[in-house]
Amino acid sequence: MATIEECRSALDKLSENLAGADGDVRGAAALDRSLSCRITDLDVTFVGRLTDGRIKVEDTLQGPPREKADIRLTMTGDDLVSMVNGELNFAKAWGSGRVRLEAGLRDLLRLRKLL
């Protein structure tokens, strides 16, 4: 089972990957939205913002998020680490229900380019 530190490192790596992306991926990540990433097996939620093509984690909370973020991800720590390391395909994990992504319709349409 992935640790909180490994999950935080995975989010930092994902942020670096998004910041270094080009074209459609860079455009899709160029939103300014609140973001939460709930790690179910650790019962923690990372909260922050997706802004300027980067994920900026502002806090780590015990349990579910206290406020509803614009973009909400839910998954296990192992799935987060596996996705960022390229071992788990996000679209397949999302389609099978291993990963949950919730956002407004407009944001979902933009974020689909990241898939």
Side-chain angles (χ1 to χ4, degrees):
M1 180 165 74
T3 66
I4 292 174
E5 293 78 20
E6 289 170 326
C7 291
R8 177 59 196 259
S9 292
L11 287 172
D12 290 343
K13 183 177 178 183
L14 178 59
S15 179
E16 290 172 23
N17 293 346
L18 290 174
D22 294 323
D24 287 344
V25 173
R26 179 73 176 164
L31 298 168
D32 184 12
R33 301 287 189 273
S34 60
L35 174 76
S36 68
C37 182
R38 173 125 170 86
I39 307 299
T40 55
D41 56 335
L42 298 175
D43 195 29
V44 298
T45 303
F46 296 96
V47 293
R49 293 200 71 78
L50 174 63
T51 185
D52 297 326
R54 291 181 101 39
I55 296 170
K56 297 179 181 176
V57 176
E58 297 167 351
D59 204 359
T60 304
L61 309 172
Q62 275 303 124
R66 292 173 181 82
E67 296 179 18
K68 184 177 176 182
D70 297 321
I71 300 170
R72 299 166 305 281
L73 290 163
T74 304
M75 68 194 79
T76 66
D78 288 341
D79 284 347
L80 173 62
V81 171
S82 293
M83 279 192 310
V84 172
N85 289 335
E87 300 159 0
L88 177 64
N89 179 281
F90 180 83
K92 288 181 183 178
W94 185 32
S96 70
R98 284 177 70 174
V99 172
R100 238 172 85 191
L101 170 64
E102 298 173 276
L105 183 58
R106 252 185 209 189
D107 289 339
L108 285 174
L109 291 174
R110 280 191 80 179
L111 291 170
R112 70 183 164 90
K113 294 176 184 173
L114 297 175
L115 305 177

